Structures are given as structure tokens and as C-alpha cells.
Amino acid sequence: MKPKILHIDENHPLLVNQLHELGFENVEAYQTPKEELEQQIDQYEGIIIRSRFKLDKEFLQKAKKLKFIGRVGAGLENIDTDFAAKKNIQLFNAPEGNRNAVGEHALGMLLSLLNKLHTAHQEVCAGVWKREENRGFELDGKTIGIIGYGNMGKAFAKKLRGFDVKVLCYDTKPDVSDENAKQVSLAELQKHTDVLSLHTPITPETKNMLNAEFFEAFKKPFWFINTARGNSVVTEDLVVALKEEKILGAALDVLEYEKSSFENLFEGGNLPEAFAYLTNAKNVILSPHIAGWTQESKIKLAQTIVDKVKAFYA
């Protein structure tokens, strides 16, 4: 009997096709409610998920045959990783698949922010021709601080190699320096940084990490980029820092108001006041959690999961 894999989210077709070639039976349940899947999950050796719902303890304890979970993305926050470990369920994620996309997106947002391309475009389209008001800043000569120097942080640093910049990184892991960034203490990074880019996963330590006290510790006003997780930032404190010009501008691909599936922004109701400010601020760029969302990364993410499943069974 072929081992069965449950696909909860739709991904690139190569994922299903190659797993089929490897001898797996694939069940595509992209619209099936979680409650219904919970009743049949004991049939499966593997689960492939992106973000449609949370694989919590209640769900996983019914998965009697489960050997692995493949998350087609970088983070694992929608999986009860502690319980999975207790059940000896192998977890595969795919930061290798979209790290390049994230690096390019972060650089694109930064250059647009510094050169005011987003506001200039809107003004020209509206028949407004302002040159002095749209005078920008050059990246050359600035110090870039990267918090979180894993797959995503390293990819962003690599993209900066063509600029005459100094790149510092802070990470809780020791000895992560490479040819593209020098590892320093958080205090050292906060002392020298002109541009801050966040590349951390969401953990109890990183949730709400960037708050008023954190921003105040920077010695110079700085630009801020977040392509990591929105709930690492206290948005109300970010807005205060923007108003006080402690933060010169922000490029945000993620927001703390996102639903856990990342597919929608709000559960419903009125927009928070802090978010309303961001949507009207000329020194803020927003994108809908698409930093790792390219045509190429869709293929790479799927292939990464296939390769890890293949290696696991080999």
C-alpha cells in the first residue's frame, strides 16, 4: 500500500507530481474543512501545508501514522512544534526556496523608500511634478543593520554587495558572520545603524520585540524594513517613532494585524488607528506579505519540500 500524503494547501503542481513519481498517494484537500480532515487524518503518513489553518495538538494527536509535516514556506508558527517533537514527527520547512525572493524584495522596498519612488509615481500620475520635494537619499556610505542572520538575512546581505555600505548583523546564534556581514552585539548594531532590516522568525522572544524601548535605543534616526513577521513589531510604537522622526521611513511587507493564515489582513471591524496612519504616511511603503512570493520561489519552495521528503525516506 502506498503511503498517503494529505495536501491541505494548493502549491506548485510539481510537488504532487514528483511525490507521485516517488511512490506516494496524494490526497488534495484544498477546500476540505479542518474538522472533516481531523476525522481522517489517521490515514496519512505525511501532511503538506502552507498556512490555511493551524496544526495544533488536538489535530496532531489524531494523526496516528504521521511521520512528517512539510511546510511550504519558511516559518513553522502554524504548527505545534513541541507536540510534533514529542510524537517524533519530522518537520520540513523551505526557507531555502524563497530566501532570494525575500532578499530582492527587501532591497527593492529600501531603494524605493530612500528615493521616494512610491510617492513620486503617484504624484506624476496625478499630474503633479515635484522635484525638490522628492529629493532622495543614496544608499552608499550607510550602515545596514540586519537582525536575524539566517537564510533571509544572509540573502539580503548578499544583495547589498554591489553597494558601498557597511553591513552589521545581530543573531542569538554565535559565529554567523560571513563575507557579507559582521556579527555584533545588539547594542553595537543600534549604535551605528542607518537602515534596519528584520529577518527573524516569530518566537516568544521576538513577538513584540520591536517596541518603544527598542526603537529608542538606536543612536541615530534610521529607516526600517520588515519582511519577517508583523507581530514582532508593536505598530503603535512604530507610528510614534515615525511621528517623532526617530524612524525616517518604513517599508513593511508584514503587519501585526494579519490573520494567522496570512491570506487576509483583518478578522473584521474598523481599521486600527495605527494602521490607518501607515496607509496615509508618505514615508511608508506597504506590500501584502509577498516578499517571498515570486513565480520562481513557488517552484523552489515546492522542490525543496520534495527533496527533503525524498531524503527522509531514503
Side-chain angles (χ1 to χ4, degrees):
M1 184 179 292
K2 293 182 178 180
K4 295 174 71 173
I5 297 179
L6 176 65
H7 296 258
I8 293 173
D9 295 277
E10 188 170 4
N11 293 290
H12 194 280
L14 75 81
L15 210 163
V16 170
N17 293 340
Q18 290 191 24
L19 288 173
H20 172 74
E21 292 171 3
L22 289 171
F24 294 96
E25 178 184 345
N26 296 282
V27 177
E28 299 167 66
Y30 306 138
Q31 304 298 326
T32 309
K34 180 180 181 180
E35 296 74 22
E36 189 174 328
L37 292 175
E38 211 168 284
Q39 303 308 312
Q40 51 183 273
I41 192 60
D42 61 349
Q43 305 172 29
Y44 297 94
E45 283 194 18
I47 295 175
I48 304 292
I49 190 169
R50 197 169 65 237
S51 302
R52 186 155 73 89
F53 56 72
K54 186 173 178 64
L55 297 181
D56 49 31
K57 178 180 178 180
E58 290 71 28
F59 189 90
L60 293 177
Q61 65 186 359
K62 296 180 180 178
K64 306 298 184 184
K65 296 181 180 179
L66 195 62
K67 293 183 178 180
F68 74 87
I69 299 169
R71 165 91 213 293
V72 187
L76 293 169
E77 62 264 41
N78 63 327
I79 301 169
D80 188 330
T81 54
D82 291 336
F83 186 73
K86 288 180 182 177
K87 298 286 288 184
N88 201 30
I89 299 168
Q90 186 71 41
L91 301 180
F92 305 127
N93 60 341
E96 306 92 335
N98 62 355
R99 60 190 174 191
N100 183 71
V102 171
E104 289 190 6
H105 193 93
L107 179 58
M109 292 187 92
L110 174 58
L111 292 175
S112 182
L113 188 66
L114 292 178
N115 292 283
K116 305 183 181 180
L117 298 183
H118 56 303
T119 54
H121 167 78
Q122 293 171 345
E123 289 173 2
V124 173
C125 289
V128 178
W129 192 267
K130 293 181 178 180
R131 298 186 67 228
E132 188 57 39
E133 292 84 351
N134 285 303
R135 190 185 288 272
F137 296 87
E138 295 180 19
L139 188 54
D140 275 24
K142 293 183 170 50
T143 297
I144 316 299
I146 298 175
I147 295 183
Y149 205 62
N151 280 282
M152 307 306 170
K154 289 177 185 287
F156 180 52
K158 185 178 180 180
K159 300 302 174 190
L160 293 166
R161 284 167 65 172
F163 297 88
D164 184 14
V165 295
K166 182 177 182 180
V167 184
L168 305 176
C169 66
Y170 169 74
D171 198 288
T172 55
K173 295 179 180 179
D175 303 322
V176 298
S177 287
D178 59 16
E179 67 274 18
N180 300 321
K182 177 186 177 183
Q183 186 172 13
V184 297
S185 67
L186 180 58
E188 188 75 4
L189 183 141
Q190 289 173 317
K191 180 180 179 180
H192 297 288
T193 288
D194 297 301
V195 175
L196 175 67
S197 190
L198 186 66
H199 296 279
T200 53
I202 192 66
T203 66
E205 292 72 33
T206 61
K207 186 175 183 181
N208 297 330
M209 177 177 71
L210 278 68
N211 54 24
E213 181 181 2
F214 183 92
F215 295 139
E216 192 57 36
F218 283 78
K219 304 307 179 185
K220 297 187 285 185
F222 63 96
W223 286 270
F224 174 54
I225 313 163
N226 189 7
T227 54
R229 286 294 184 260
N231 47 8
S232 289
V233 181
V234 179
T235 310
E236 290 181 356
D237 292 350
L238 170 63
V239 167
V240 171
L242 285 164
K243 289 179 177 178
E244 295 178 350
E245 298 184 358
K246 182 70 179 182
I247 295 179
L248 301 171
L252 309 172
D253 181 56
V254 290
L255 293 161
E256 69 170 304
Y257 313 111
E258 292 176 72
K259 294 172 69 173
S260 60
S261 68
F262 309 133
E263 301 298 331
N264 291 291
L265 192 60
F266 299 109
E267 295 287 353
N270 297 325
L271 299 182
E273 185 177 340
F275 176 70
Y277 176 87
L278 295 177
T279 63
N280 290 300
K282 287 190 174 182
N283 60 341
V284 173
I285 298 176
L286 304 172
S287 58
H289 203 138
I290 55 168
W293 208 252
T294 63
Q295 299 296 332
E296 292 84 357
S297 71
K298 188 174 184 180
I299 296 171
K300 293 177 191 175
L301 286 165
Q303 189 63 60
T304 299
I305 294 299
V306 170
D307 293 344
K308 290 184 177 182
V309 172
K310 183 178 180 180
F312 175 66
Y313 275 86

